[in-house]
Amino acid sequence: MMASQNIAKSIASIQQSIDHILETTKNLPEETIRCNPTEDEWSILQILSHIAEAIPYWLGEVQTVVAMPGSKWGRGLQDPARLAAVTDTERLSVDDVKKHVEELKDEVESVLGNLDEETLSIESPHRNFIKFGNKPISYIVDHFIDEHISGHYGQIKRNLSKM
């Protein structure tokens, strides 16, 4: 199976967002990375930890739908693993979290790199069918991985502008 041109663009975009995030946070002091700009906003470390949890989660959802077309995918905002990634971050090593985020570039390439257009068009129902309905795998990649990570890069930049 040969990767489609569309998925190759998505992989490059995801990897570029990861590179931007890591470059932006590279020389920041640890206290800046751990600081919450406001009571309601995540710290940069919480964002990084969330990314380190979210990308593998969504890649796993892609793999599940590829293996079992028609299977339900997705999760809600109150998902325990999602929430755990942003709580208790004081115990996390900033360097370890950044390293994990860096390693995601290879994981993205490995999981998505062989998807073709036919596979990307496989549709399956979201667990919250009323909100999302049936979506193709390409939607999971575009919305929940690519746009999601890009949005968190913007969130990091906003956080820095408030400090």
Side-chain angles (χ1 to χ4, degrees):
M1 185 165 28
M2 178 91 158
S4 79
Q5 190 172 20
N6 289 332
I7 201 67
K9 288 179 185 177
S10 292
I11 291 168
S13 178
I14 294 163
Q15 291 174 332
Q16 184 178 38
S17 289
I18 291 170
D19 285 340
H20 289 318
I21 287 167
L22 293 173
E23 184 61 32
T24 299
T25 61
K26 182 167 78 173
N27 294 317
L28 294 177
E30 187 163 330
E31 67 251 15
T32 299
I33 291 173
R34 290 183 179 276
C35 178
N36 296 76
T38 68
E39 188 178 306
D40 297 330
E41 293 177 282
W42 288 353
S43 69
I44 292 170
L45 181 57
Q46 287 172 307
I47 296 166
L48 292 170
S49 180
H50 169 68
I51 291 167
E53 184 276 334
I55 290 177
Y57 173 81
W58 290 111
L59 291 174
E61 292 294 86
V62 167
Q63 289 174 308
T64 297
V65 173
V66 168
M68 296 179 295
S71 59
K72 290 184 179 180
W73 59 273
R75 64 181 177 182
L77 294 176
Q78 299 305 313
D79 179 78
R82 179 186 177 278
L83 295 174
V86 297
T87 57
D88 301 325
T89 53
E90 59 273 351
R91 65 179 170 70
L92 299 176
S93 157
V94 171
D95 290 337
D96 288 349
V97 174
K98 286 182 183 181
K99 183 177 183 223
H100 187 166
V101 171
E102 172 74 30
E103 291 167 351
L104 292 173
K105 293 189 316 184
D106 290 338
E107 192 172 341
V108 165
E109 178 75 37
S110 173
V111 172
L112 302 180
N114 292 317
L115 300 181
D116 59 19
E117 289 301 323
E118 182 179 345
T119 303
L120 288 169
S121 68
I122 295 171
E123 289 193 5
S124 288
H126 189 278
R127 284 184 178 88
N128 182 351
F129 188 80
I130 293 170
K131 181 175 180 181
F132 291 101
N134 280 317
K135 296 291 183 193
I137 291 173
S138 61
Y139 180 83
I140 300 171
V141 173
D142 294 343
H143 182 73
F144 289 102
I145 303 176
D146 193 4
E147 291 174 14
H148 185 181
I149 301 311
S150 177
H152 284 305
Y153 172 56
Q155 184 183 14
I156 289 170
K157 289 176 22 181
R158 285 189 303 279
N159 279 15
L160 290 172
S161 73
K162 295 177 184 180
M163 294 184 192

